[in-house]
Amino acid sequence: MILLNIQSSPRGAKSASIAVTDAFLEAYRASHPDATIDTLNVWEENLPEFDAEAIGAKYKGINKEPMDPAEAAVWEKIQRLAARFQQADRIVLGVPLWNFAYPYKLKQLIDLASQRNMLFTFDGKAYGPLLTTPRAFVVYARGGTYAENTPTAASLFDHQKAYIEFWLKFVGVQEVRSLVVEGTSWPAKEKREENLACGQEEARKMAAEF
């Protein structure tokens, strides 16, 4: 069993999303000691830029045309990233809320790995998924709170959860289980710690049936 653990916060031990996903993984490994955790931290992975060479390689790859050395090098890196999704039996993803959405480095990973004939198909008319991953677990960490009866109602300010879950299902994840942990930055210290602890405990419970 291979779990692809995607970390998208640069804060390390100070990160709420990493703290909650780590609690989930610790509980999962306790009952699945043979599981392999493949951790992909988007800040430490040295992701290639999705620049002219990458875009050129993309279209040449689709059309099966020869690439120049720069294009071939970046295309090989893109294939290696996609392979980590292809090989994973489960996906675990921690997503902090940045400007009411998600970190740009996570979007960079998505733009690199989500290639036609790697993670999805397109026949000119319709898209289709290429992964057959049974499920993913996603932690959405938010510094504030987004209840509907507040000035920052989730229906207006949440541009985080909908896209991530759309993308996971688009590439072939069959079931997405999510945990939203709010109030990790703005309340008083005691309340922040309580919110984080509650999130970790809920993540441990969710690991039991993952």
Side-chain angles (χ1 to χ4, degrees), residues 6-11 15-18 42-43 93-104 106 138-143 160 164 181 184:
I6 302 173
Q7 298 177 341
S8 61
S9 170
R11 302 188 70 222
S15 165
S17 63
I18 291 176
V42 297
W43 300 93
L93 175 58
V95 187
L97 186 74
W98 283 24
N99 288 308
F100 312 110
Y102 33 81
Y104 68 91
L106 177 57
V138 188
V139 172
Y140 301 99
R142 302 170 178 179
Q160 176 195 40
I164 297 300
V181 182
T184 63

Side-chain angles (χ1 to χ4, degrees), residues 67-143:
M67 301 179 189
D68 65 34
E71 292 168 339
V74 73
W75 195 242
E76 182 180 355
K77 292 178 181 178
I78 287 172
Q79 289 176 311
R80 288 201 299 267
L81 287 171
R84 294 170 75 172
F85 287 89
Q86 295 163 352
Q87 294 162 6
D89 299 294
R90 303 283 191 276
I91 295 173
V92 176
L93 175 58
V95 187
L97 186 74
W98 283 24
N99 288 308
F100 312 110
Y102 33 81
Y104 68 91
K105 276 288 184 181
L106 177 57
K107 186 58 165 61
Q108 185 177 354
L109 171 66
I110 291 171
D111 288 342
L112 287 165
S114 300
Q115 299 297 330
R116 182 177 175 183
N117 300 327
M118 291 188 195
L119 298 192
F120 70 91
T121 63
F122 181 63
D123 62 5
K125 295 181 180 179
Y127 292 95
L130 278 177
L131 297 184
T132 56
T133 313
R135 62 187 63 95
F137 173 68
V138 188
V139 172
Y140 301 99
R142 302 170 178 179

